[in-house]
Amino acid sequence: MTESTPEQAATHITVHGTAPYDVVVGRGIVATLPTVLGERVNKVLIVHPPTLGAAAGRLRELLLETYSEVLLAEVPDAESAKRVEVAAFCWQILGQADFTRTDAIIGFGGGSVTDLAGFVAATWLRGVKLVQIPTTVLGMVDAAVGGKTGINTAEGKNLVGAFYAPAAVLADLNNLATLSPNEIRAGFAEVVKCGFIAEPEILDIVERDVDLAIDPTSDEFRRVIELSIGVKARVVSEDFTEQGQREILNYGHTLGHAIEHAERYQWRHGAAISVGMMFAAELGRLAGNLDDAAVDRHRAILELLTLPVEYPAGRWPGLLSAMQRDKKARAGMLRFIVLDRIGKPAVLAGPDETLLFTAYQAIAS
């Protein structure tokens, strides 16, 4: 990781592996997109949600100065984008425009849009150039960074997908200027997750002054974003296809994904993961390793961010069924990431259902 100066210089965080790429953090860095795409590209497709139509149009005008054809694919916002029908719509555009392997796709939006764009790029002609431009906190620190792409099915979230590395990720902090405080706080679930599993400095910054921490114009905000991306970059560099260490990034996600499914994806991802992390903390305590103070710290930090830490008591049977279908289960055995202590994650495989139910009761409303 190359540190930036305190002013306007960009920070480059490299994700290593068979296809290394940089996550670039800064302000106004979208202007470097033609340099990132390079000269071999001829046609570009920008995948974006309706809320970014005007911004996508401006991005198109920028690229038309360099490339012969720049198309826009407006897709639904949030999880509604991650459907096979939407992917097929994008494939149709690519086919009608005769996109070749030397052309490129831009994912311009939140995590759902970058997941979709990545999946389309991975599957069209078995792989075309991809650049992700995340426009949400969640997208910057999580969805756009690790090369995991996918769409949802009626059976669950992200069950169809591919591991596919982008050419670059441009995390332009200026794109966050119009986000609502609630959207930023929801995205911070993934930020503090990185604090719990690997970078306690993130937790210290949030506890010291939560308003500064979530202010996109502050130095504190940029610091926690860079720390979070650094966590993901290090883990993904060592385990791109989630065969081992990358599993720690699922902290809070096993129950969190089940909640999203139960709520028909009407809950924000961060809200569901917040409840999932609280459950994982209680599970870690019951498993005998995580102390009371660390569990209490989870609750205090998530409540500082006004994120939920409870879920209705009567929903457990449906959640358990959804978790058993989750792609993180192996041979029917549930696996949870828990903490031995803050900054030290571990895998809890095949826990007794009584233990799971007891942990759930601790967060049940």
Side-chain angles (χ1 to χ4, degrees):
M1 174 172 166
T2 305
E3 294 291 344
S4 68
T5 63
E7 290 76 30
Q8 298 301 314
T11 302
H12 290 252
I13 303 168
T14 302
V15 181
H16 298 280
T18 55
Y21 59 94
D22 278 359
V23 183
V24 187
V25 185
R27 301 186 187 280
I29 58 174
V30 169
T32 67
L33 182 55
T35 302
V36 172
L37 287 172
E39 296 179 355
R40 289 188 64 204
V41 169
N42 186 39
K43 301 173 184 176
V44 181
L45 176 69
I46 303 171
V47 182
H48 69 91
T51 50
L52 291 176
R58 292 191 293 272
L59 187 58
R60 178 176 181 270
E61 292 303 314
L62 168 70
L63 294 176
L64 280 173
E65 296 175 9
T66 306
Y67 304 104
S68 65
E69 191 170 357
V70 182
L71 304 175
L72 300 177
E74 183 178 291
V75 299
D77 210 350
E79 293 293 327
S80 296
K82 295 175 60 173
R83 293 181 292 119
V84 67
E85 296 87 354
V86 182
F89 163 70
C90 295
W91 292 324
Q92 182 180 31
I93 294 173
L94 296 171
Q96 291 176 349
D98 295 322
F99 265 59
T100 70
R101 280 193 178 140
T102 58
D103 296 323
I105 293 173
I106 310 296
F108 183 52
S112 295
V113 170
T114 58
D115 277 2
L116 169 73
F119 180 66
V120 171
T123 50
W124 185 253
L125 299 178
R126 299 184 179 88
V128 296
K129 179 172 278 191
L130 169 70
V131 175
Q132 302 283 32
I133 306 178
T135 61
T136 63
V137 174
L138 171 63
M140 286 187 183
V141 303
D142 184 47
V145 173
K148 284 170 79 172
T149 74
I151 55 176
N152 303 329
T153 69
E155 288 68 38
K157 183 180 171 74
N158 294 329
L159 293 177
V160 176
F163 292 99
Y164 191 68
V169 178
L170 301 183
D172 193 327
L173 300 177
N174 288 348
N175 285 328
L176 306 179
T178 59
L179 288 184
S180 70
N182 284 343
E183 189 70 30
I184 291 175
R185 288 173 184 269
F188 257 66
E190 292 286 356
V191 173
V192 296
K193 177 200 76 177
C194 293
F196 289 130
I197 65 173
E199 283 284 6
E201 183 187 344
I202 293 170
L203 309 179
D204 296 338
I205 291 171
V206 172
E207 289 169 322
R208 190 157 54 241
D209 191 327
V210 67
D211 292 328
L212 268 180
I214 65 170
D215 177 357
T217 67
S218 75
D219 292 339
E220 288 82 356
F221 180 91
R222 179 166 178 166
R223 177 64 177 163
V224 297
I225 294 296
E226 291 178 356
L227 285 170
S228 300
I229 292 172
V231 169
K232 186 150 193 183
R234 289 195 301 274
V235 173
V236 170
S237 294
E238 296 181 19
D239 183 20
F240 182 64
T241 58
E242 201 170 37
Q243 300 302 308
Q245 185 182 357
R246 184 166 177 160
E247 194 173 8
I248 69 171
L249 298 172
N250 290 328
Y251 188 59
H253 283 58
T254 303
L255 182 69
H257 282 173
I259 290 173
E260 287 184 289
H261 183 65
E263 296 293 336
R264 300 186 180 185
Y265 304 105
Q266 297 306 299
W267 269 41
R268 284 190 172 98
H269 175 75
I273 299 310
S274 176
V275 176
M277 286 191 289
M278 201 66 241
F279 172 77
E282 294 288 358
L283 189 57
R285 170 158 57 184
L286 288 169
N289 295 317
L290 197 64
D291 62 28
D292 293 349
V295 177
D296 292 343
R297 193 180 188 193
H298 276 69
R299 188 177 301 274
I301 288 172
L302 295 170
E303 288 182 340
L304 264 179
L305 292 164
T306 65
L307 291 170
V309 292
E310 297 178 337
Y311 199 68
R315 306 291 291 276
W316 175 246
L319 295 176
L320 179 60
S321 176
M323 287 190 292
Q324 289 167 337
R325 294 194 304 271
D326 190 276
K327 64 186 182 302
K328 290 180 285 298
R330 297 184 186 175
M333 180 183 291
L334 281 173
R335 296 168 65 86
F336 294 87
I337 301 303
V338 295
L339 300 181
D340 289 339
R341 63 174 184 271
I342 287 179
K344 188 179 180 185
V347 176
L348 180 63
D352 188 274
E353 287 188 17
T354 302
L355 188 71
L356 297 177
F357 180 71
T358 303
Y360 186 74
Q361 289 299 102
I363 66 162
S365 58

